[in-house]
């Protein structure tokens, strides 16, 4: 009986002394708001505003091309990408945020996006993951990647061999 009481009191003491996880809800809310701001700035055509959300050594890992590493490459990528999206008459809509978290000075958000034409027809949809680092009292994107859920276009039929 004494042994059981000792074990229970020891377990209780260890539980009481265990470190509590910090409350990261304010940081998670800030990251989610920053994600929405990214989409808002993108759809306004503000490539400079979007680029300013990235760290100087950040990286965009977009599908179908090389990584855009560093502030200058990120600005160039965003200027071209936003321009192409606007020219096509598309809007890049935020879908659902399906995950977010913070550990120390690192944070992440994952979610979905929907690219739609002026009539609302979906021309692309997919998912993304954005990694953040706390810098100078705010959050900056250090890695940004996304990919489509849609099947790639069919390959053109091969030309028949010449006789």
């Amino acid at each position: 009986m004494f042994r059981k009481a000792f074990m229970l009191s020891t377990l209780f003491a260890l539980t009481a002394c265990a470190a509590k996880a910090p409350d990261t809800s304010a940081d998670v809310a800030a990251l989610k708001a920053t994600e929405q701001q990214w989409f808002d700035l993108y759809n306004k055509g503000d490539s400079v505003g979007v680029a300013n959300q990235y760290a100087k050594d950040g990286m965009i890992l977009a599908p179908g091309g090389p990584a855009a590493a560093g502030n200058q490459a990120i600005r160039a990528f965003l200027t071209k990408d936003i321009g192409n999206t606007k020219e096509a008459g598309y809007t890049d809509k935020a879908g659902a945020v399906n995950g977010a978290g913070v550990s120390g000075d690192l944070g992440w958000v994952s979610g979905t996006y929907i690219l739609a034409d002026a009539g609302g027809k979906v021309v692309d949809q997919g998912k993304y993951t954005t990694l953040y680092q706390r810098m100078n009292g705010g959050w900056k994107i250090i890695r940004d990647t996304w990919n489509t859920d849609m099947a790639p276009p069919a390959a053109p039929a091969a030309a028949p061999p010449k006789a």
Side-chain angles (χ1 to χ4, degrees):
M1 181 74 166
F2 174 76
R3 189 175 192 166
K4 248 186 197 179
F6 178 75
M7 287 176 61
L8 284 173
S9 64
T10 302
L11 181 60
F12 177 75
L14 289 173
T15 303
C17 294
K20 302 253 184 209
D23 180 8
T24 60
S25 59
D27 285 327
V28 168
L31 291 175
K32 288 179 179 180
T34 300
E35 282 295 307
Q36 185 57 55
Q37 184 183 34
W38 188 100
F39 283 98
D40 293 344
L41 291 168
Y42 186 97
N43 288 315
K44 288 179 187 173
D46 187 352
S47 60
V48 173
V50 177
N52 286 338
Q53 289 190 322
Y54 290 80
K56 290 181 183 181
D57 60 349
M59 192 177 293
I60 292 178
L61 307 164
N71 204 259
Q72 186 175 4
I74 288 170
R75 278 182 200 256
F77 173 86
L78 289 168
T79 298
K80 182 178 179 183
D81 192 61
I82 290 172
N84 290 342
T85 301
K86 288 287 184 197
E87 185 177 317
Y90 297 157
T91 302
D92 193 358
K93 301 176 184 179
V97 169
N98 54 34
V102 171
S103 179
D105 287 336
L106 295 176
W108 62 274
V109 177
S110 63
T112 59
Y113 69 88
I114 301 164
L115 193 64
D117 68 13
K121 179 184 174 199
V122 174
V123 295
D124 187 21
Q125 64 186 27
K127 62 261 181 210
Y128 68 87
T129 299
T130 306
L131 302 176
Y132 290 87
Q133 185 173 2
R134 190 187 325 264
M135 297 179 180
N136 301 320
W139 292 99
K140 292 288 186 177
I141 298 170
I142 57 174
R143 295 293 183 273
D144 195 9
T145 189
W146 62 92
N147 55 53
T148 184
D149 291 342
M150 300 179 91
K162 291 186 179 184

